[in-house]
Amino acid sequence: MIRTARTAVTAWLQAAPLAAVFAVFFVIPLGLIVMVSFWQATDYELIPAFTAQSYLDVFHGCGDSLVTPGQDVCVTLKTYGSTLKFSLITWAVTAVLGFSIAYFLAFHIRSQLMQTVLFIVCTVPFWTSNVIRMISWVPLLGRNGLVNQALLGLGWVKEPVEWLLFSDFSVILAFVHLYTMFMIVPIFNSMMRIDRRLLEAARDNGASPWQTVWHVVLPLSRTGLIIGSIFVLALVMGDFVTVGVMGGQQIASVGKIIQVQASYLQFPLAAANAVVLLAAVLMMIVALMRLVNLRKEL
């Protein structure tokens, strides 16, 4: 019993530094945000008095739009719908790209050195800041950009294409560019743990390459796909810089609303929106976690 107690104490002492960092930089700030979301605010001061008015303001008009037929959807639901649309489209594209690239690296590149080199090539965009990577699309997709000039030169269009930049397309393109790597890494890690004899057994039993991928590789890569999905969905749901830059400040998102409210010193309303966004993201993560037992798989 003494040895067990000592082991438990040692384990707690080993976990204490990380727990302290987690508490200081995550739990306490999150608690402060929740606390401020229940404060009152005037034009010039914050009043630490409990009220749920900020949450009522967040969902103002949403009840009427859900009950009354033909009523316009409230701003909050519209914004969450737009943000969710960006998240799901980005998730679908990054999942296909991430799975394809990871599959190529894991099963078609035999040399471990070449796998490492190509994997490093995939990380090259991360050598610069997100803002620089987003701005680099402007001279490519702009009205007088390289893409429009090429299309005009080939005679495929008679006038510049307007929707290439400052549109939903450019926002999704930037999201895919920024976050595909977060999908590649966990899927590649899962694929590298697959026993290659399972692939040989599938081929020996007459399975086509597509059948092998669908019935063997994909199920065994599910853990990596779920982890990548959590990363991508959480990042896109809270992103406001990409939407602002690539959307030309014309496209709304939940993160953008929070940023604008904070800039106008509406801290309780911004905190309430942040809590609602956190709850929505946590529900998505819980739903994904139910698809796989990460503790068992990892």
Side-chain angles (χ1 to χ4, degrees):
M1 293 180 62
I2 296 176
R3 182 177 299 178
T4 303
R6 289 178 178 176
T7 303
V9 171
T10 303
W12 279 105
L13 290 176
Q14 291 174 343
L18 183 59
V21 172
F22 182 77
V24 171
F25 293 102
F26 181 77
V27 177
I28 295 177
L30 182 60
L32 291 175
I33 291 174
V34 174
M35 180 178 65
V36 171
S37 69
F38 289 101
W39 283 8
Q40 297 178 5
T42 64
D43 294 336
Y44 54 89
E45 67 176 342
L46 291 175
I47 303 174
F50 182 85
T51 178
Q53 185 61 43
S54 296
Y55 291 94
L56 296 177
D57 292 339
V58 168
F59 294 102
H60 176 72
C62 294
D64 297 336
S65 62
L66 293 175
V67 174
T68 306
Q71 181 78 16
D72 291 338
V73 179
C74 66
V75 175
T76 299
L77 294 182
K78 282 184 179 179
T79 306
Y80 271 90
S82 175
T83 306
L84 187 61
K85 177 189 68 175
F86 287 135
S87 300
L88 294 179
I89 295 176
T90 303
W91 168 79
V93 176
T94 55
V96 173
L97 288 176
F99 187 89
S100 302
I101 295 172
Y103 181 84
F104 175 77
L105 292 176
F107 298 109
H108 289 275
I109 304 299
R110 302 297 182 182
S111 171
Q112 188 173 3
L113 176 61
M114 186 57 64
Q115 282 181 342
T116 304
V117 171
L118 293 177
F119 193 82
I120 293 175
V121 170
C122 292
T123 66
V124 168
F126 285 84
W127 297 358
T128 58
S129 69
N130 288 2
V131 176
I132 293 176
R133 280 181 279 169
M134 286 184 287
I135 293 177
S136 66
W137 286 106
V138 175
L140 289 174
L141 304 178
R143 181 178 177 85
N144 298 315
L146 296 178
V147 174
N148 269 317
Q149 293 298 321
L151 294 175
L152 291 170
L154 293 172
W156 291 357
V157 295
K158 295 182 180 179
E159 58 183 14
V161 181
E162 300 288 348
W163 53 263
L164 290 178
L165 189 62
F166 303 143
S167 62
D168 291 356
F169 170 79
S170 60
V171 172
I172 294 172
L173 181 64
F175 277 144
V176 172
H177 180 205
L178 294 175
Y179 299 137
T180 298
M181 193 62 188
F182 290 95
M183 191 69 78
I184 295 175
V185 173
I187 296 177
F188 176 75
N189 181 60
S190 295
M191 288 183 176
M192 291 301 295
R193 298 166 58 186
I194 296 176
D195 191 342
R196 299 306 189 264
R197 292 175 296 182
L198 296 175
L199 305 182
E200 296 177 1
R203 287 193 295 266
D204 292 342
N205 283 277
S208 65
W210 282 108
Q211 288 175 326
T212 302
V213 171
W214 184 257
H215 295 288
V216 179
V217 178
L218 183 58
L220 295 177
S221 305
R222 185 177 58 178
T223 302
L225 184 60
I226 295 300
I227 295 175
S229 300
I230 292 173
F231 283 141
V232 171
L233 290 174
L235 290 170
V236 175
M237 286 292 289
D239 190 291
F240 65 91
V241 177
T242 305
V243 175
V245 174
M246 300 304 294
Q249 308 297 335
Q250 301 173 7
I251 299 176
S253 71
V254 182
K256 186 65 180 175
I257 288 180
I258 295 173
Q259 185 261 333
V260 171
Q261 290 171 343
S263 66
Y264 282 100
L265 305 182
Q266 299 175 345
F267 294 118
L269 190 57
N273 265 305
V275 172
V276 174
L277 175 61
L278 177 61
V281 173
L282 287 178
M283 286 190 293
M284 297 171 64
I285 293 176
V286 169
L288 290 171
M289 293 282 286
R290 293 180 67 88
L291 299 176
V292 62
N293 189 344
L294 291 181
R295 183 175 299 179
K296 178 181 178 181
E297 295 292 338
L298 298 177

